[in-house]
Amino acid sequence: MMAKKIIQVEEKVPFKMLIPLSIQHLFAMFGATVLVPFLFGINPAIVLLMNGIGTLLFIFITKGKAPAYLGSSFAFLAPANVVIAQFGYPYALGGFIAVGFVGCVLSFVIKKFGVKWIDIVLPPAAMGPVVALIGLELSSSAASTAGLLDEVVNMNNVIVFLVTLLVAVIGSVCFKKFFSVIPILIAVVVGYLTAVCVGIVDFSPVMEAPLFAMPDFTMPKFNLDAILMILPVVLVIISEHVGHQVVTSQIVGRDLIKDPGLDKTLFGDNFSTMISGFLGSVPTTTYGENIGVMALTGVYSVQVIAGAAIMSIICSFIGPLAALIQTIPNPVIGGISFLLYGMIGVSGLRILVDEHVDYANSVNMMLTSVVFVVGLSGVTIQLGNIALTGMVLAALVAMIMSLAFYLFAKFKWLNEASEEPKDML
């Protein structure tokens, strides 16, 4: 079987290819990114606008060297909902801005002190399972989105889910030429048509949507208590960001931690969150769905991601277009996510293989074992209004264990080096 053609980060693609490839990225992120504003009770149009602008800012800040689409962050849901209930949405925006500001400050700290600490606190034996958990812990979310975990499972949902998933899988393996790089787009279209046939698509939002609409802008307000409720999310987004950059590096075959640098990618991510907060949108983050698309298709071009960002901006102003995309049923999104999250999980396991992690070494065995169990066990540590669980808690445990093993080895080596041979009596 011929290897899939790779379209590298800096490569340009013809316009006739650019549009469908960009639409593919837009569809991959759309379901998850509009869910967050729905949960916050705001119009998703402002989120589509700021996700697009944030992605373009990220590309500019990283000089087009880091392929990433910025979508709505789920990390803020719990504390933001508490703040919204007590103070109102504008005060949550103030918290988003504060978190983004702290993230930007941390990016300057990383620029000053470098990234060598990552190899110490997250060696391959720990980084591999942490990255794998990004995909694995989302697997239940994909199944839930598809309706497979409902108390009473609707067979129409199952049919649409299976058709979407099978087309994506078969297309990724069997499609040739241009079709081989748009299996996700084809799967979405086929899944959507299947959903229409079984009668689970509601076109009324498209008919009711105004042709042109301005997104709702909201000015932030600041309250120290509200900010302190949201601020601990910084721990979550830093862990998530490092994991995403490592898995993207693994996929594209370049060390993005070094070039353009973790400081630039972290700054771009958090600067986007700040700008979004000032204009009334939700925080942004690099998106696992789009990382999965890159892993599946071999299309890493920043131009393609920029095209998706521009389309997102256009959708925020054209009501029927945004509404049409919102009619994509959950089983279609679930079918695509099911595969994409799995691809991220495999990328984490690939780190263990590529780095030749030696499991005859008990330290490596302990690191990987504990990280996987912590991440998949459902154990949760409550930090104020922030629940540390899954990949984030696993990453923190991995860092603590790795640092402890490193200091133990260093201390032991120093003690051995300081011992002088005694004279024989």
Side-chain angles (χ1 to χ4, degrees):
M1 184 182 293
M2 292 182 61
K4 188 186 296 290
K5 174 177 167 50
I6 300 298
I7 300 178
Q8 260 305 343
V9 176
E10 69 285 346
E11 285 189 51
K12 308 296 182 184
V13 298
F15 187 73
K16 64 180 180 181
M17 291 177 61
L18 178 61
I19 291 179
L21 289 175
S22 295
I23 291 175
Q24 181 170 246
H25 270 284
L26 183 65
F27 281 176
M29 53 65 66
F30 199 90
T33 205
V34 299
L35 178 59
V36 175
F38 281 136
L39 295 175
F40 284 159
I42 66 171
N43 191 316
I46 184 64
V47 175
L48 291 175
L49 174 65
M50 296 314 300
N51 283 353
I53 292 174
T55 299
L56 295 177
L57 283 172
F58 182 89
I59 291 171
F60 175 76
I61 291 168
T62 58
K63 300 179 180 178
K65 295 181 178 181
Y69 192 99
L70 301 189
S72 307
S73 174
F74 283 77
F76 291 76
L77 282 179
N81 277 326
V82 173
V83 170
I84 292 170
Q86 291 187 19
F87 301 94
Y89 183 65
Y91 290 95
L93 294 175
F96 301 160
I97 293 168
V99 171
F101 176 76
V102 172
C104 289
V105 171
L106 288 175
S107 72
F108 288 112
V109 173
I110 290 172
K111 183 177 181 179
K112 174 70 175 178
F113 295 99
V115 294
K116 290 184 178 179
W117 55 272
I118 292 179
D119 294 329
I120 295 173
V121 299
L122 283 175
M127 182 61 80
V130 166
V131 170
L133 285 167
I134 295 173
L136 296 179
E137 73 171 325
L138 289 171
S139 58
S140 61
S141 171
S144 177
T145 300
L148 303 184
L149 303 182
D150 295 346
E151 288 187 11
V152 179
V153 177
N154 186 324
M155 285 308 298
N156 287 335
N157 290 346
V158 175
I159 291 170
V160 173
F161 166 81
L162 289 176
V163 168
T164 305
L165 178 60
L166 286 173
V167 171
V169 170
I170 294 171
S172 302
V173 176
C174 300
F175 287 170
K176 303 295 182 183
K177 297 184 178 179
F178 179 59
F179 293 111
S180 67
V181 295
I182 56 168
I184 300 301
L185 178 58
I186 294 172
V188 169
V189 171
V190 173
Y192 189 88
L193 293 175
T194 305
V196 171
C197 291
V198 300
I200 62 171
V201 178
D202 179 13
F203 288 106
S204 57
V206 181
M207 307 303 294
E208 296 168 1
L211 180 61
F212 178 83
M214 281 292 291
D216 296 329
F217 295 97
T218 304
M219 296 301 294
K221 294 181 179 179
F222 299 90
N223 175 281
L224 183 58
D225 290 337
I227 289 172
L228 292 177
M229 286 181 186
I230 296 178
L231 200 57
V233 174
V234 139
L235 294 173
V236 179
I237 62 173
I238 298 298
S239 301
E240 185 179 64
H241 183 87
V242 172
H244 282 181
Q245 293 312 301
V246 169
V247 70
T248 305
S249 298
Q250 188 73 23
I251 290 168
V252 304
R254 302 180 179 186
D255 190 350
L256 303 179
I257 299 293
K258 293 182 179 178
D259 186 24
L262 183 61
D263 59 313
K264 287 187 176 64
T265 60
L266 187 61
F267 179 82
D269 196 344
N270 285 276
F271 184 69
S272 172
T273 290
M274 283 184 64
I275 298 299
S276 292
F278 276 115
L279 295 178
S281 185
V282 302
T284 58
T285 183
T286 47
Y287 244 38
E289 288 85 347
N290 299 88
I291 295 172
V293 170
M294 290 190 289
L296 192 65
T297 63
V299 179
Y300 315 143
S301 173
V302 167
Q303 182 192 30
V304 170
I305 293 175
I310 292 170
M311 288 180 181
S312 183
I313 293 171
I314 293 171
C315 283
S316 71
F317 291 98
I318 301 178
L321 189 57
L324 179 63
I325 298 176
Q326 288 182 54
T327 63
I328 298 175
N330 283 340
V332 175
I333 301 298
I336 294 300
S337 301
F338 210 74
L339 180 59
L340 298 183
Y341 294 154
M343 295 295 294
I344 298 173
V346 170
S347 297
L349 300 180
R350 182 178 165 186
I351 291 175
L352 302 176
V353 175
D354 290 350
E355 296 294 332
H356 305 289
V357 176
D358 179 14
Y359 284 110
N361 183 325
S362 59
V363 170
N364 291 337
M365 179 66 78
M366 291 304 101
L367 278 174
T368 301
S369 300
V370 172
V371 171
F372 265 130
V373 171
V374 169
L376 296 173
S377 64
V379 172
T380 301
I381 294 178
Q382 201 71 26
L383 185 62
N385 293 305
I386 305 298
L388 300 179
T389 188
M391 182 276 291
V392 174
L393 181 58
L396 293 175
V397 170
M399 290 179 186
I400 294 169
M401 288 182 64
S402 299
L403 186 59
F405 283 134
Y406 173 80
L407 293 175
F408 175 77
K410 196 84 169 175
F411 181 74
K412 183 179 179 182
W413 179 82
L414 288 172
N415 279 347
E416 291 175 351
S418 65
E419 289 180 2
E420 295 182 5
K422 297 179 180 179
D423 293 331
M424 296 293 292
L425 295 177

